[in-house]
Amino acid sequence: MDKKSAWIYCRIDAPEDIHGVLKGQYERLETYAAQMGFAVVGSSQDLGSGLHFDHPGLQTVLEAAKAGSFHILLVDSVSRIGRDMAKTMNFIQTISNCGISIYSPMEGEIKLSDLAMLLFQLR
């Protein structure tokens, strides 16, 4: 496998996507994947609060990760995974344990160690 397989995950904090924000997120990530040489093999999206982690799209990401369906998770920013730092770090740990790296066009590779350091600095 030459290209690393990537999964695109998008989320907005709204009950519906009336302004096409999800489509914009997806297109940005699709372009980023092409620039990075990643092959997009799947995607999922959610609407709603980043404080909850029971979103169907996020669950789809976890199931695909555990099945070994992809190597790279692409998100617009770490806040698209979630807004609860502890739950977000837990999700990233779970994904990392599956051998998956997380990338964002704005933040580059998102590593748990970087988030832990940020959290430590914020305290």
Side-chain angles (χ1 to χ4, degrees):
M1 181 168 14
D2 296 327
K3 280 191 170 185
K4 288 218 175 227
S5 55
W7 190 279
I8 291 177
Y9 176 69
C10 306
R11 184 186 62 77
I12 58 167
D13 190 358
E16 56 184 306
D17 187 16
I18 41 180
H19 301 294
V21 178
L22 279 173
K23 184 173 187 265
Q25 260 183 49
Y26 182 87
E27 287 170 354
R28 260 193 313 280
L29 292 170
E30 195 176 41
T31 300
Y32 179 66
Q35 290 167 345
M36 297 290 286
F38 300 149
V40 177
V41 296
S43 69
S44 55
Q45 60 187 42
D46 287 311
L47 297 167
S49 170
L51 296 175
H52 307 292
F53 277 66
D54 56 353
H55 297 295
L58 207 54
Q59 295 311 310
T60 302
V61 170
L62 278 176
E63 287 161 21
K66 289 175 181 169
S69 303
F70 64 97
H71 299 103
I72 309 282
L73 177 62
L74 298 175
V75 292
D76 206 40
S77 78
V78 73
S79 69
R80 296 305 83 209
I81 295 170
R83 293 242 180 233
D84 178 308
M85 187 59 98
K87 287 179 183 172
T88 301
M89 289 174 75
N90 187 42
F91 178 86
I92 292 170
Q93 181 68 57
T94 302
I95 287 285
S96 298
N97 289 347
C98 295
I100 291 163
S101 304
I102 304 173
Y103 283 84
S104 146
M106 300 292 287
E107 299 151 339
E109 187 173 359
I110 298 166
K111 293 185 173 148
L112 198 57
S113 55
D114 297 338
L115 284 179
M117 187 58 70
L118 178 67
L119 190 61
F120 181 74
Q121 290 168 351
L122 291 174
R123 288 194 171 174

